Amino acid sequence: MNRAYNTFLDICGGVSAILIAFCALAVSLDVILRFFGESLMWVFEVTELLLLYVTMLALPWLARERGHICVDVLVNNLSPANAARLDVCTNMAVAAICLLITWWGGLSTVDAYSRNLTNDGLVQYSLWISRIAIPFGFGLAAIEYLRLSAQSARKGVSK
Amino acid sequence: ARAEPVVLRAITPWQVEYDMSQALLMFRDMVNERLAGKVEVRYLGGPEIADPGNQFDAMKNGVVDMVLTAAAYYRSEVPAAAAVMFTSKSPTDLRKSGYADIMRELHAQAGVEYLANTAGGKKYRLYFKTPIENPDFSGKSIRVSPVYLPLVRALGGTPVNVAPNELYTALERGVVQGYGWPETGIRELGLQEQTKYVLDTPFYSLDTALLMNKSVYDGLPDDVKEELQKISVEFESKVEEKIGALLQDENEHLRKEGLNFIRFSPEDEALFLKTAYEAGWNDFLAQNKTLIDANPGLVERLEVAGN
Amino acid sequence: MSGIAILSLIFGGLVGLLVIGMPIAFAFATVTIVSIIFLQGWGAPLQSFVLSIDSGVTNFTLLPIALFVLMGELLWQSNIANKALSAIDKWFGRVPGRLSLLSVASGTAFSALSGSTLANTAMLGKMLLPEMKRKGYADGMSMGPIIASGGLAMLVPPSTLAVFYATIAHISIGALLIALILPGLLLACCYGAFIVISCWLNPALAPREESSDFNLKEALRELVIYILPLSVVVFSVVGVIFMGIATPTEAAALGCVSSLIMAFCYGGLSTRKLIDAGMGTVRITGMMLLIMAMAIGFSQILAYSGGGRELVGFVSTLSLQPLMLIGLMMLVVLVLGCFMEQIAIMLITLPIFVPLLKLIDADGVWFAVMMLINLEMSLMTPPFGMLLFVMKGVAPDGTSIGSIYRASLPYLAINGLVIALILFNPWIVTILPSIMK
Ligand code: NA
Ligand code: NA
């Protein structure tokens, strides 16, 4: 179970990387085609949308990798036990914030879906497609930060 | 003791010097004088408060109560609001012809009180860096927003999507040779430095409007609502006077900066305008198919009251 | 409660959360959400906050962050970067701190290609930092110059931030862009001078490797072979911008593609390394974009609270000598810069500063240059400078943020000095625009 979940997070990170590469290729293609008088109008909007997906897919994976950077001046000067305690608290708080964003992001996704909203750019797509990325990313991040809290709690006990 | 006045927080998507932000300040002063003690409009700022595309939501969600914005910025919420672009009457005449009431209905369905059309007779036009002699845009890359897309496509140009703050560089380097913009506002982005020709054939009407959160509006006492509506009507005509003078001023400024005002031959100009309206209107009809199918007669009402 | 009181509370809260080690993006989010609940109410306003996350990242002009990082990763993983470095290195021979100088030189060069300080810093960090660490460079000679010269991207044209400034302040964009060239180069030279002097005084800062004898033929051969792929990549970015084929943002994409092609041609890219490059890119891009998204919501609630406006208004009520006034304006920008996003700072301060400048008859371009350098400093001021976070992201594991803070301090001081220099010698700014006229 644990392993399957970790693999899933790795896939999220991997897809994020593929999307960045796709953006590079798509924008290059657009520039080259424009040179010959054609223009791929969708590239601009799709790239913007993918930037959101890149961020949201990377979010839970980075959480597991402890890649969301923090100021470690105080933490580095605490005893291991106290550092673990503090880590439990901050990770719980982060998880709570993630849950809140997941909830409100979920509501705005449902809203966009039920009212059939589209974006207001040059190329149109249903808005729920972009909005759903936020509850997805933050929902998984909430789980991840709860797991990190549990990890630190165990570490704190064993010290 | 007297009750505290109801505070209405207001924002716009533009920086404070832009004419439409100034219009909001004018409305603020009118309300604060005429409804002193009852209502206080408070201007909070521009795009630093909320992204232009999110300001309509900010009003609906109660972050602010009032917003003076463009239909292009809430196309996702009220796509039918763009209809106002294809009217030929001035805002005050649209008020008389009952067009404002149609707009009010359409906005009410989205939970918004439509107070005033703030276009003031302003239109859109095209600006170029390279010379252009006739309405054949083939081989030209033109920066568009949804407003100009159908037109530029219909005239054979290559529409390009460039972020507004990159447009200066895109023109400077020659990535695009032209762009569409309202009759005022290019100086807000410094674009006049990279523009040589103004196609002096304005088209469509601007889509700006003053909107208010409907539940906040409905919560006001009846006499205040009535006065607010009266002020809005006066505000509409005041804006119209202001914009008329501003447009003169803007053109003088641009001429002084060395921009050439050009026009096509009369036949070409007629073709250009016809294409603009047909392409734009057809695009509008396609965008609003569901609404139009559900409201038989709406298109006719819009066409009759608007022209 | 007054706006300034709210401002201090929000600021205090943010510092508190950062100190207890909450990840930066979430510290921003927490303070923003709590402020929204207090100032705008529980409920629907939080939905607007979520929308600000969405619109904050779905922004085409952020694309170079991802793409320049990817470009740096590809050049690094395929060994093109370090081979080119050692080829150049041979020519620098006995110059003290030559990798540090190289980072300033390439930072300045790349700043002429991109307007993104974050992208510039991340790419330089990716390409140069591992080699510097391996050679035992001190933090102040490795991370410091990378942060400082990465920041030049927003000063040296093209710079969307400068364009934005000029439009809000109603000064000529062209004049401002030209005026920024000399101060940008001046900053680079000062960084360079600082590096040479420091390393000369204390050679341990930048250890010198036992260099084998200089062989002209060998050095020339390496220069041609290893500089060539890098030049192709650089040309694919600069060339398309200057030939008007692509905007600077789009050019970054072409840079990525050409890096990939070069990497394949030189055979330095195994599947393993390609995956490493991809995941390395996600690690930095994901971290940076999330902070950006959260910082925007934070900036918006600050603007909503009116604290910034009040602070600026307060300064404008003091009747001061022109130089004092300008100094105080700079101080306000520096303070706001510690915790606000740059565009928001401009939108809040400039409507008040510009009329004040007119009043004392100060040159708009001159002030703009000083303010832009000041805004650049805000990117490297502890505790919230974005470039410091970028550096933390690219630096090897175990690099503490404290050491990054210390590394950036001397360069902050240099920026301050250059602002003072310009304050008393306006010709540094005005000379180029007046010649070009
Ligand atoms: Na630059
Ligand atoms: Na900062």
Side-chain angles (χ1 to χ4, degrees):
Chain A
M1 179 61 206
N2 227 338
R3 237 177 94 188
Y5 184 73
N6 277 330
T7 312
F8 174 64
L9 290 186
D10 286 333
I11 293 173
C12 287
V15 172
S16 186
I18 292 169
L19 293 183
I20 294 176
F22 176 80
C23 289
L25 292 175
V27 173
S28 303
L29 189 64
D30 184 27
V31 170
I32 292 166
L33 285 180
R34 198 172 56 219
F35 189 70
F36 297 105
E38 289 293 318
S39 178
L40 301 175
M41 291 302 290
W42 54 268
V43 167
F44 191 97
E45 249 89 22
V46 168
T47 304
E48 290 199 325
L49 176 64
L50 290 186
L51 280 176
L52 177 67
Y53 269 87
V54 164
T55 314
M56 290 304 139
L57 286 166
L59 168 52
W61 175 73
L62 273 173
R64 189 196 68 197
E65 304 277 299
R66 294 203 176 238
H68 291 294
I69 52 160
C70 50
V71 177
D72 47 17
V73 180
L74 174 73
V75 182
N76 285 346
N77 289 308
L78 291 176
S79 72
N82 281 337
R85 274 188 210 117
L86 188 61
D87 202 47
V88 173
C89 295
T90 48
N91 285 331
M92 295 282 271
V94 171
I97 286 294
C98 289
L99 279 177
L100 213 65
I101 296 175
T102 308
W103 172 252
W104 291 104
L107 283 186
S108 75
T109 310
V110 171
D111 178 46
Y113 183 80
S114 61
R115 290 198 293 141
N116 216 351
L117 299 184
T118 50
N119 69 323
D120 41 17
L122 281 170
V123 176
Q124 294 196 297
Y125 54 82
S126 296
L127 258 189
W128 67 266
I129 296 175
S130 72
R131 292 205 182 155
I132 200 170
I134 292 177
F136 175 85
F138 279 93
L140 288 176
I143 299 176
E144 209 39 54
Y145 278 103
L146 287 175
R147 290 207 323 168
L148 288 179
S149 299
Q151 262 176 32
S152 298
R154 277 196 300 275
K155 224 193 285 169
V157 171
S158 69
K159 288 263 159 69
Chain B
R2 287 183 52 182
E4 287 281 300
V6 181
V7 173
L8 299 177
R9 298 153 300 172
I11 54 176
T12 70
W14 307 283
Q15 59 199 61
V16 66
E17 289 94 349
Y18 187 51
D19 50 21
M20 284 297 114
S21 306
Q22 290 297 315
L24 178 64
L25 297 185
M26 188 206 285
F27 182 78
R28 175 195 67 185
D29 295 341
M30 288 171 76
V31 172
N32 291 355
E33 188 197 319
R34 299 258 294 268
L35 284 167
K38 291 179 183 162
V39 172
E40 184 198 334
V41 174
R42 194 175 288 166
Y43 168 72
L44 295 187
E48 74 275 19
I49 307 280
D51 184 74
N54 289 341
Q55 295 204 347
F56 187 89
D57 289 277
M59 172 194 54
K60 281 190 71 178
N61 289 334
V63 174
V64 296
D65 308 296
M66 203 176 256
V67 48
L68 196 163
T69 185
Y73 288 135
Y74 58 97
R75 208 158 71 117
S76 56
E77 295 273 346
V78 193
V84 77
M85 282 167 34
F86 309 102
T87 57
S88 53
K89 286 183 177 149
S90 71
T92 42
D93 287 339
L94 288 176
R95 178 71 68 171
K96 284 179 206 135
S97 74
Y99 198 92
D101 295 325
I102 311 180
M103 280 290 132
R104 228 181 131 191
E105 275 167 43
L106 291 172
H107 282 78
Q109 287 167 14
V112 172
E113 179 67 26
Y114 178 90
L115 286 176
N117 176 342
T118 63
K122 206 202 289 182
K123 293 170 174 255
Y124 301 90
R125 60 187 174 194
L126 298 179
Y127 302 80
F128 293 91
K129 193 174 181 181
T130 54
I132 182 142
E133 269 116 41
N134 53 52
D136 172 16
F137 292 179
S138 50
K140 281 205 185 308
S141 293
I142 303 198
R143 189 267 179 184
V144 296
S145 73
V147 172
Y148 316 92
L149 179 61
L151 165 67
V152 169
R153 276 223 172 106
L155 293 177
T158 308
V160 182
N161 215 340
V162 178
N165 57 5
E166 281 204 320
L167 185 48
Y168 181 94
T169 316
L171 282 164
E172 184 188 29
R173 307 283 191 213
V175 178
V176 296
Q177 290 89 48
Y179 58 96
W181 212 262
E183 287 180 279
T184 64
I186 71 164
R187 286 186 294 138
E188 308 289 323
L189 286 174
L191 301 176
Q192 79 283 2
E193 291 180 25
Q194 299 297 336
T195 307
K196 292 222 173 72
Y197 305 93
V198 181
L199 180 57
D200 198 15
T201 309
F203 52 93
Y204 305 159
S205 291
L206 231 70
D207 57 351
T208 50
L210 178 63
L211 311 172
M212 191 174 163
N213 180 310
K214 190 139 180 51
S215 58
V216 173
Y217 176 81
D218 289 341
L220 295 172
D222 285 340
D223 61 317
V224 172
K225 274 191 236 173
E226 212 173 286
E227 185 65 17
L228 214 51
Q229 293 292 350
K230 260 195 220 158
I231 295 174
S232 299
V233 175
E234 276 174 48
F235 169 61
E236 243 170 25
S237 60
K238 268 194 167 182
V239 171
E240 216 170 286
E241 283 166 32
K242 263 263 159 66
I243 296 289
L246 260 174
L247 290 181
Q248 291 267 322
D249 211 46
E250 177 77 13
N251 288 352
E252 262 168 48
H253 255 289
L254 294 180
R255 283 204 176 88
K256 239 187 260 163
E257 302 235 14
L259 276 72
N260 301 303
F261 282 68
I262 52 166
R263 290 177 71 167
F264 298 144
S265 69
E267 306 88 69
D268 279 349
E269 183 163 281
L271 174 73
F272 175 79
L273 285 173
K274 190 167 166 279
T275 314
Y277 279 90
E278 277 177 7
W281 184 243
N282 287 336
D283 181 67
F284 172 81
L285 294 180
Q287 295 274 339
N288 289 282
K289 201 172 175 318
T290 339
L291 178 83
I292 290 165
D293 288 347
N295 294 278
L298 176 66
V299 174
E300 209 200 322
R301 279 174 72 205
L302 286 171
E303 282 182 319
V304 170
N307 296 289
Chain C
M1 195 164 20
S2 82
I4 292 178
I6 296 174
L7 197 73
S8 341
L9 269 180
I10 292 177
F11 183 59
L14 190 60
V15 173
L17 289 178
L18 284 180
V19 166
I20 63 166
M22 185 179 273
I24 290 148
F26 296 105
F28 274 123
T30 309
V31 174
T32 308
I33 287 177
V34 172
S35 313
I36 285 174
I37 293 170
F38 273 99
L39 296 174
Q40 300 172 346
W42 169 265
L46 290 170
Q47 202 161 318
S48 265
F49 168 65
V50 174
L51 295 186
S52 82
I53 300 177
D54 186 335
S55 62
V57 227
T58 48
N59 178 349
F60 192 74
T61 45
L62 293 180
L63 187 63
I65 295 180
L67 296 186
F68 276 124
V69 173
L70 179 59
M71 193 168 123
E73 282 280 352
L74 286 171
L75 292 176
W76 179 252
Q77 295 285 357
S78 63
N79 284 335
I80 290 179
N82 45 1
K83 280 185 185 153
L85 283 185
S86 59
I88 299 173
D89 207 22
K90 292 214 168 109
W91 291 87
F92 271 90
R94 307 174 58 93
V95 181
R98 51 196 190 280
L99 279 180
S100 317
L101 288 177
L102 192 62
S103 77
V104 173
S106 36
T108 315
F110 274 109
S111 72
L113 312 185
S114 126
S116 170
T117 53
L118 303 178
N120 201 2
T121 309
M123 186 177 60
L124 288 176
K126 265 292 153 196
M127 287 192 350
L128 295 166
L129 196 58
E131 190 69 4
M132 291 169 142
K133 287 272 175 194
R134 197 180 64 77
K135 291 197 167 156
Y137 275 54
D139 292 339
M141 288 298 123
S142 56
M143 298 193 288
I146 292 176
I147 292 171
S149 50
L152 290 178
M154 64 163 274
L155 295 179
V156 178
S159 161
T160 45
L161 225 50
V163 171
F164 192 77
Y165 182 103
T167 60
I168 312 185
H170 301 294
I171 56 178
S172 157
I173 299 178
L176 178 57
L177 290 177
I178 293 168
L180 278 165
I181 296 175
L182 204 55
L185 294 179
L186 180 64
L187 276 167
C189 292
C190 290
Y191 299 151
F194 171 73
I195 290 164
V196 171
I197 294 170
S198 312
C199 294
W200 181 60
L201 291 175
N202 180 6
L205 289 175
R208 229 173 281 174
E209 251 173 48
E210 292 309 313
S211 58
S212 48
D213 288 332
F214 184 78
N215 178 335
L216 183 68
K217 215 171 149 195
E218 181 68 8
L220 268 175
R221 198 185 68 91
E222 283 194 7
L223 197 63
V224 172
I225 295 177
Y226 296 124
I227 296 298
L228 187 68
L230 205 58
S231 321
V232 170
V233 171
V234 170
F235 176 78
S236 69
V237 180
V238 196
V240 295
I241 295 176
F242 280 91
M243 294 192 304
I245 298 172
T247 63
T249 305
E250 294 169 332
L254 292 166
C256 272
V257 173
S258 61
S259 306
L260 191 64
I261 294 172
M262 284 301 121
F264 273 118
C265 291
Y266 274 70
L269 209 56
S270 61
T271 315
R272 181 70 249 164
K273 287 195 163 177
L274 193 60
I275 292 174
D276 284 348
M279 296 320 281
T281 308
V282 172
R283 184 177 286 273
I284 297 162
T285 310
M287 180 270 291
M288 279 166 36
L289 289 182
L290 191 70
I291 296 182
M292 298 286 287
M294 297 306 172
I296 284 173
F298 180 76
S299 244
Q300 290 177 346
I301 192 71
L302 270 189
Y304 178 93
S305 78
R309 232 173 259 278
E310 231 174 83
L311 181 63
V312 176
F314 170 71
V315 168
S316 62
T317 57
L318 310 168
S319 47
L320 291 168
Q321 295 288 314
L323 275 185
M324 281 286 284
L325 184 66
I326 287 176
L328 203 58
M329 286 175 179
M330 287 294 140
L331 194 66
V332 169
V333 173
L334 195 64
V335 169
L336 291 177
C338 288
F339 51 102
M340 240 181 160
E341 188 266 338
Q342 295 165 308
I343 289 183
I345 298 177
M346 291 189 206
L347 284 169
I348 287 171
T349 57
L350 289 182
I352 297 167
F353 284 180
V354 170
L356 283 177
L357 289 172
K358 288 232 171 77
L359 213 64
I360 60 171
D361 212 18
D363 183 76
V365 173
W366 171 61
F367 183 82
V369 171
M370 290 189 291
M371 177 144 162
L372 282 167
I373 299 178
N374 198 337
L375 286 171
E376 190 218 336
M377 283 170 81
S378 77
L379 291 171
M380 43 200 247
T381 352
F384 315 124
M386 274 302 279
L387 296 182
L388 306 173
F389 301 156
V390 172
M391 186 46 65
K392 170 93 168 137
V394 290
D397 289 340
T399 310
S400 79
I401 192 91
S403 64
I404 298 175
Y405 288 168
R406 282 190 297 279
S408 74
L409 283 180
Y411 301 89
L412 266 178
I414 292 174
N415 276 30
L417 276 176
V418 169
I419 292 181
L421 204 62
I422 294 173
L423 183 64
F424 294 107
N425 303 281
W427 62 267
I428 300 174
V429 168
T430 51
I431 188 163
L432 272 186
S434 63
I435 291 175
M436 307 282 261
K437 246 177 201 166

